[in-house]
Amino acid sequence: QVQLQESGPGLVKPSQTLSLTCTVSGGSISSGDYFWSWIRQHPGKGLEWIGYIYYSGSTYYNPSLKSRVTISVDTSNNQFSLKLNSVTAADTAVYYCARASQHDYFDYWGQGTLVTVSS
Amino acid sequence: QSALTQPASVSGSPGQSITISCTGTSSDVGSYNLVSWYQQHPGKAPKLMIYEGYKRPSGVSNRFSGSKSGNTASLTISGLQAEDEADYYCCSYAGSSTFVIFGGGTRLTVL
């Protein structure tokens, strides 16, 4: 059974960089069959896709966030990470990592982690 | 690109059937058979219920079904149960520039 777990600071100051890591267990990021994704949900709002990465390092980003987002992969530790720079209060959200089947559907999700942007 | 359009809320009584629509454009829902649906209970992560338009993952009840016509995808839940009360989101592949787009979500209330 594949499991994903987000980790990182729950509080980030405005203008700084939000950094999160997703640790994958029960399956290998390097299997090549999946894309590894970040999705966020603003409080009381809907889901917003941030981007995903293939084990080779190829990345695909939401055009609206592309200028501020970097997703990277660490196959040796079976982890992938999100960096979102120049954050504002509008980036306060629950951030989920998830496994995507090709460019298609998200079949396994982490439990989510709330990140608050505040001074 | 704008989110896919879903009704904000739907409701039904136990045992009834309901349908949630998800309207996109010819650039996303209309162009690909790659619509997925997610169920989210309060405080929980979304759960995949339907993928590639109509396919059910192992373990998902056959009371859940998906379909598509033109630019609109639909999720039907038959034999409503109290446990079905949740938020539902549609999602579509949207091509090699936008990639993924979600709907705004629909709150299902079981009366």
Side-chain angles (χ1 to χ4, degrees):
Chain A
Q1 176 80 344
V2 174
Q3 293 185 311
L4 297 90
Q5 177 68 57
E6 305 90 351
S7 59
L11 181 65
V12 181
K13 289 182 167 51
S15 80
Q16 293 192 342
T17 296
L18 179 160
S19 296
L20 295 173
T21 295
C22 182
T23 301
V24 180
S25 58
S28 173
I29 277 185
S30 302
S31 69
D33 295 324
Y34 305 101
F35 288 73
W36 303 93
S37 316
W38 289 99
I39 295 161
R40 71 180 181 180
Q41 186 170 33
H42 295 103
K45 302 296 185 183
L47 300 168
E48 180 181 30
W49 176 72
I50 298 171
Y52 43 41
I53 190 166
Y54 194 54
Y55 80 99
S56 63
S58 297
T59 51
Y60 307 82
Y61 298 133
N62 183 328
S64 68
L65 296 169
K66 186 175 182 177
S67 63
R68 298 194 293 130
V69 172
T70 301
I71 297 176
S72 58
V73 65
D74 177 359
T75 55
S76 61
N77 287 307
N78 226 32
Q79 297 176 327
F80 62 105
S81 298
L82 169 69
K83 290 189 186 299
L84 180 66
N85 58 37
S86 305
V87 297
T88 70
D91 294 309
T92 293
V94 173
Y95 286 77
Y96 294 99
C97 58
R99 188 181 82 170
S101 177
Q102 299 301 313
H103 290 284
D104 193 351
Y105 55 92
F106 304 95
D107 55 356
Y108 287 96
W109 296 65
Q111 64 186 27
T113 187
L114 174 64
V115 179
T116 301
V117 178
S118 174
S119 55
Chain B
Q1 189 160 353
S2 299
L4 304 175
T5 300
Q6 298 181 234
S9 63
V10 298
S11 63
S13 299
Q16 288 186 332
S17 295
I18 63 95
T19 296
I20 299 172
S21 61
C22 170
T23 301
T25 70
S26 57
S27 297
D28 39 65
V29 174
S31 286
Y32 306 97
N33 291 318
L34 295 176
V35 173
S36 51
W37 290 90
Y38 302 86
Q39 176 191 66
Q40 187 179 35
H41 287 110
K44 300 294 187 182
K47 175 187 176 183
L48 177 67
M49 305 302 285
I50 295 288
Y51 67 100
E52 294 175 358
Y54 66 93
K55 298 176 183 178
R56 276 189 311 275
S58 175
V60 172
S61 170
N62 60 10
R63 297 186 298 106
F64 292 83
S65 61
S67 62
K68 189 186 89 165
S69 178
N71 295 337
T72 299
S74 299
L75 173 71
T76 297
I77 309 174
S78 58
L80 269 180
Q81 299 179 359
E83 68 208 49
D84 299 331
E85 186 164 290
D87 294 328
Y88 290 84
Y89 293 91
C90 63
C91 177
S92 177
Y93 179 66
S96 58
S97 295
T98 305
F99 299 105
V100 175
I101 187 167
F102 281 97
T106 298
R107 177 148 297 175
L108 168 61
T109 300
V110 180
L111 301 170

